[in-house]
Amino acid sequence: MASEVFVSGGTGLIGSEIVDQLMRDGFDVITTTTTKKKAGDFVKHSRKLRVERIDFTNSDFADRLKNIFSNNKALVAIINNARSLKFFETNDQGLCQPDDLISEFNLDVVIPYKISLMAVELVPNLETIINISSQYASRVPNPNLYNSNSEMSPIQYNVAKAALNKITKELAVRLGERKIRVNCIEFGGVEGRAPNAFINRYNAKAPHSRMLKASECYGPIKMLLDKNNSAINGAVIEANAGWTLC
C-alpha cells in the first residue's frame, strides 16, 4: 500500500504542482477543490488521486474530513495549502475591512489548525504536517514594486500568514510527544499570475534575478516528507531564491 498525503487546495498554481509531483514520487494523494471543473483537471491521475469538493468557508467541512481521515492507515502527511481570493479586497491605502481580516485569518490559521487537530486524533500513522505560508508573513511588501498600495500583497493575507508561522511552532512543541513534526514553508513570488512589468521589477530586486517557478515549490516539501530529515521540526523555511536576503 502506497503512503498517502492530504493536500488542501490542490488545484491552484502551487497546489496542482505539489499534487502532481507527489504522485510522481509514488504517493497517493487526497486533495480538495471548490469547483467541479478544477477537479476534472486531474482525471488522468485517478488511480492515485482522490479529489474532494470541499469549501472550507462552509461549516460542514469538518464532517467531510472526518470521513476522509477516520482510521486512514495509509495517510502519513497533511499539507495545508487552501486559499481563496474572496477576502483579498483592499482600498487605495492598501487597507482592508475588518471582516475580511477575520475571514482571511479563519482560512489561513483557524482552518489549518482544525484540519491538523482532526488528523492528529483520527489518523493513526500521521508523521508530519506542512503549512504553506508566504515570504510576506515575515516581511512587509516593498511599495516600490507596485503601482499603487491597493496592488500590494493584501494586508489581511500577510498578517494571517504570520500567525500561521507562529501556530506552526506552537504545534511542533505540543505534538512532540506524539512524534508528529510540524513545519512551515514561506514561498516567494511564483511565476504564472503576475504581469510582465511586475515580474521585471521583482526580478531586479531578487539576488538570483527571477521569481520562483511553480515546479520549484515541491523541493522543500519533498525534503520535509523524507524521514531522514526528522531533525527538522518547528521550522519556518524561506523558499524564495534568496529574495528576502537584501
Side-chain angles (χ1 to χ4, degrees), residues 77-95:
I78 301 294
I79 301 175
N80 287 309
N81 181 59
R83 62 173 298 185
S84 171
L85 303 181
K86 290 180 182 179
F87 317 117
F88 273 20
E89 185 175 348
T90 59
N91 62 21
D92 291 343
Q93 295 177 292
L95 302 174

Side-chain angles (χ1 to χ4, degrees), residues 172-221:
V173 172
R174 297 166 196 269
L175 299 180
E177 292 183 354
R178 295 176 179 253
K179 309 300 181 185
I180 298 172
R181 295 180 291 120
V182 188
N183 292 287
C184 187
I185 303 171
E186 287 187 348
F187 285 118
V190 180
E191 292 180 356
R193 289 186 291 243
N196 288 335
F198 176 83
I199 293 174
N200 290 337
R201 293 194 297 270
Y202 184 101
N203 288 350
K205 164 74 170 63
H208 288 235
S209 298
R210 61 174 180 80
M211 298 182 81
L212 298 178
K213 298 183 184 301
S215 59
E216 294 178 282
C217 295
Y218 180 64
I221 292 171

Side-chain angles (χ1 to χ4, degrees), residues 6-168:
F6 175 85
V7 183
S8 65
T11 55
L13 176 64
I14 295 176
S16 59
E17 187 69 33
I18 293 171
V19 168
D20 187 63
Q21 293 203 46
L22 281 168
M23 290 186 292
R24 293 177 189 276
D25 268 357
F27 290 100
D28 288 345
V29 179
I30 304 172
T31 194
T32 70
T33 184
T34 56
T35 66
K36 184 177 181 180
K37 180 180 182 299
K38 288 184 177 180
D41 293 341
F42 284 113
V43 169
K44 62 183 178 181
H45 295 303
S46 58
R47 183 178 61 84
K48 288 189 172 184
L49 179 67
R50 173 179 171 185
V51 181
E52 296 284 343
R53 289 181 62 193
I54 298 178
D55 185 346
F56 290 105
T57 63
N58 292 335
S59 58
D60 67 346
F61 84 86
D63 291 333
R64 301 281 304 281
L65 287 188
K66 184 176 181 180
N67 292 331
I68 294 171
F69 289 166
S70 291
N71 200 34
N72 186 334
K73 294 182 180 179
L75 191 57
V76 296
I78 301 294
I79 301 175
N80 287 309
N81 181 59
R83 62 173 298 185
S84 171
L85 303 181
K86 290 180 182 179
F87 317 117
F88 273 20
E89 185 175 348
T90 59
N91 62 21
D92 291 343
Q93 295 177 292
L95 302 174
C96 69
Q97 292 297 318
D99 285 349
D100 282 343
L101 176 60
I102 293 170
S103 296
E104 187 64 29
F105 188 91
N106 181 59
L107 184 63
D108 283 341
V109 184
V110 178
I111 288 173
Y113 180 68
K114 287 182 178 180
I115 292 172
S116 299
L117 292 188
M118 289 183 66
V120 167
E121 294 303 321
L122 297 174
V123 178
N125 296 317
L126 185 66
E127 298 173 0
T128 187
I129 297 169
I130 301 171
N131 293 322
I132 303 302
S133 188
S134 163
Q135 65 186 14
Y136 290 130
S138 55
R139 301 291 192 280
V140 177
N142 184 338
N144 294 323
L145 290 175
Y146 303 88
N147 293 319
S148 67
N149 288 339
S150 62
E151 293 182 4
M152 296 169 68
S153 179
I155 186 172
Q156 58 270 45
Y157 174 81
N158 303 344
V159 170
K161 289 299 188 183
L164 179 65
N165 287 6
K166 173 61 174 173
I167 208 165
T168 295

